[in-house]
Amino acid sequence: MTDKTITYLTDAVQITAVVQKGRSDDILRACRDLGVAGGVVHLARGTGARERLGLLGIAVETEKEVVTMVVAADLRELIAETIYHTGGLDAPGGGYLYISQLERLATYIPQEILARMDDAKNVSADSPS
């Protein structure tokens, strides 16, 4: 066991988008331009959409890319809109996204950032309400 404590971040959301193959690089680039530190991309295959849309004569690629990123909750709308438009989710078979509230998030946080977080807590605790 270690004596280091874990600092949990709250007020974060996970945005997951299932998009057409080949769209993830554009999405990551657009989100990085907005300040998102990074994301995870993996390939996935689904069932159902090809058969349903096939009746209309629209061929839908079943291999998808799943893009997942964690962002501050106050940025969720901006990032979701960026993913929606950059990922082509506004077209039939373009994919979908969903947002999940995270209860707690633990990761490495540099000591200088932790010190700033403690200072901000102390200032808000000392402020008259």
Side-chain angles (χ1 to χ4, degrees), residues 95-113:
Y96 59 93
L97 69 82
Y98 55 92
I99 301 171
S100 304
Q101 181 70 40
L102 299 177
E103 182 179 327
R104 296 188 298 170
L105 169 69
T107 187
Y108 169 75
I109 303 172
Q111 285 299 317
E112 58 270 12
I113 301 295

Side-chain angles (χ1 to χ4, degrees), residues 39-123:
V40 175
V41 177
H42 64 271
L43 294 177
R45 285 182 34 185
T47 61
R50 175 181 286 244
E51 293 82 13
R52 280 183 282 170
L53 294 176
L55 294 174
L56 301 174
I58 301 171
V60 177
E61 179 64 43
T62 58
E63 191 168 63
K64 305 285 187 178
E65 291 174 333
V66 179
V67 181
T68 304
M69 57 186 67
V70 175
V71 301
D74 58 347
L75 295 177
R76 83 181 90 193
E77 294 303 324
L78 175 64
I79 302 301
E81 286 179 22
T82 299
I83 293 171
Y84 186 85
H85 294 295
T86 305
L89 302 182
D90 53 350
Y96 59 93
L97 69 82
Y98 55 92
I99 301 171
S100 304
Q101 181 70 40
L102 299 177
E103 182 179 327
R104 296 188 298 170
L105 169 69
T107 187
Y108 169 75
I109 303 172
Q111 285 299 317
E112 58 270 12
I113 301 295
L114 288 172
R116 279 193 258 162
M117 292 169 62
D118 285 341
D119 290 345
K121 280 184 196 172
N122 292 335
V123 168

